[in-house]
Amino acid sequence: MHDGKGSRTSERAAVLRALHQVIDRPRVFDDPLALRIIGAERAREILQDPSGPEQNPWSPYLRAFLVARSRYAEDALAEAVARGVGQCVILGAGLDTFAFRQRYGKDRLRIYEVDHPDSQNLKRQRLRAAGIPIPENVVFVSIDLEVGQLEEALRDVGYDPERPGFFSWLGVTEYLTVDVVLSTLAFIASGPVGTTVVFDYLLPPSLLHGVQRRTFDALAYRVEAAGEPWRTFFEPEELARQLANMGFKSIVDVGPEALNEMYFQDREDGLMVRGFSRIAQARV
């Protein structure tokens, strides 16, 4: 993150989600606002030359994971809303467009978009430029999780800690310190029964070998060069233990093999997930 500017990695993720809408069939994740949120100039570039963003061999696998994690999180949210959960917190919302294409309404779901002030300012600019209206059930919460208090920030805008909530936390944990990640998860775990979090995380490099490790090193170099280095990694078994100790009772961990089985079977284009990112879902 650079002062006064939004996250570069968030921008890259938005471009890959937009690219998915253009070149992948069938789509794993439908996002009719994906091209609009990245800006008119970048959208034109993708439509004119979809191969442009594909400048490295791992881009298709990264794109597959990004759309799979969005699909997984939104499917999990739909299940939570069906159970009666009426609050959704999107942590590190970046240029995610869910809040602006959902049709739940304020009486069914209140959505809190949480992000660094600079990233949130960029998003508001993009929304205005694209003519995308802000639904009345969406609230913006500006906070830097490394220095601010999430619980206080949410209380200040009406989040009810006595009611269950759904937390979507995608593409963020690896950029924060481990203390901030664990304290945020502990806060979520303190919520009432039914409170749920879906987040993704990176495996530590010590568990990677061969192509996985070479890909890890290449991507780690890129994000560090962008000023947003990876800081935090988890081993799945240790993470599950920590989540259980916090009070989560239902814990699901999903890796590349499971994601491919869920979303990428029988594709003719060979799109699939590979790599060292995983998704966890934990419920109080």
Side-chain angles (χ1 to χ4, degrees):
M1 180 74 67
H2 298 271
D3 290 342
K5 299 180 180 179
S7 165
R8 293 184 182 179
T9 53
S10 173
E11 184 89 34
R12 173 64 174 170
V15 168
L16 291 178
R17 286 193 297 268
L19 189 63
H20 178 64
Q21 310 305 308
V22 175
I23 68 174
D24 295 325
R25 294 294 183 275
R27 294 179 187 138
V28 170
F29 177 65
D30 285 311
D31 184 348
L33 299 181
L35 280 164
R36 294 171 63 185
I37 200 68
I38 63 174
E41 182 177 352
R42 198 64 186 272
R44 281 194 298 270
E45 291 174 355
I46 287 179
L47 291 171
Q48 292 171 0
D49 182 14
S51 65
E54 299 288 350
Q55 297 179 5
N56 52 66
W58 59 79
S59 283
Y61 305 123
L62 179 58
R63 184 174 78 249
F65 179 74
L66 292 180
V67 299
R69 76 183 183 189
S70 292
R71 168 74 179 274
Y72 185 94
E74 292 189 17
D75 286 351
L77 172 59
E79 294 175 0
V81 173
R83 297 194 307 268
V85 173
Q87 303 180 107
C88 172
V89 180
I90 305 176
L91 294 173
L95 294 174
D96 181 88
T97 67
F98 166 77
F100 312 97
R101 51 184 164 77
Q102 51 80 31
R103 296 292 183 268
Y104 285 110
K106 64 178 182 178
D107 294 331
R108 194 172 186 195
L109 185 67
R110 190 79 163 170
I111 301 170
Y112 300 88
E113 277 224 345
V114 180
D115 211 341
H116 188 283
D118 292 338
S119 289
Q120 203 157 80
N121 288 337
L122 172 64
K123 187 170 195 174
R124 285 175 175 270
Q125 293 171 14
R126 293 285 180 84
L127 291 170
R128 287 194 295 269
I132 299 173
I134 300 173
E136 59 181 347
N137 63 333
V138 176
V139 178
F140 290 104
V141 186
S142 295
I143 183 175
D144 182 345
L145 289 178
E146 289 285 357
V147 297
Q149 295 295 320
L150 177 60
E151 182 175 5
E152 292 180 7
L154 287 175
R155 283 179 182 270
D156 289 345
V157 294
Y159 182 85
D160 186 353
E162 303 302 319
R163 297 170 53 219
F166 181 94
F167 290 75
S168 176
W169 201 11
L170 305 181
V172 179
T173 62
E174 58 266 35
Y175 299 104
L176 301 175
T177 61
V178 65
D179 288 345
V180 170
V181 174
L182 294 178
S183 64
T184 301
L185 290 170
F187 159 65
I188 297 171
S190 70
V193 172
T195 298
T196 303
V197 60
V198 170
F199 65 98
D200 61 326
Y201 67 94
L202 297 184
L203 295 175
S206 60
L207 296 183
L208 308 177
H209 305 281
V211 174
Q212 270 193 331
R213 181 57 191 265
R214 290 194 294 273
T215 302
F216 176 96
D217 290 341
L219 287 173
Y221 175 81
R222 289 190 62 174
V223 297
E224 184 168 4
E228 300 172 32
W230 289 336
R231 298 178 176 182
T232 294
F233 314 92
F234 290 103
E235 296 183 3
E237 295 79 8
E238 175 62 15
L239 176 61
R241 184 190 66 78
Q242 291 174 311
L243 292 171
N245 288 341
M246 292 175 188
F248 289 107
K249 300 301 182 184
S250 174
I251 301 168
V252 177
D253 192 276
V254 183
E257 298 82 3
L259 290 172
N260 286 331
E261 185 174 345
M262 294 168 67
Y263 303 127
F264 297 95
Q265 289 195 75
D266 303 321
R267 294 185 66 96
E268 294 183 359
D269 59 5
L271 188 67
M272 67 174 66
V273 175
R274 288 183 182 173
F276 36 84
S277 297
R278 301 180 68 89
I279 298 172
Q281 179 176 182
R283 187 189 309 174
V284 178

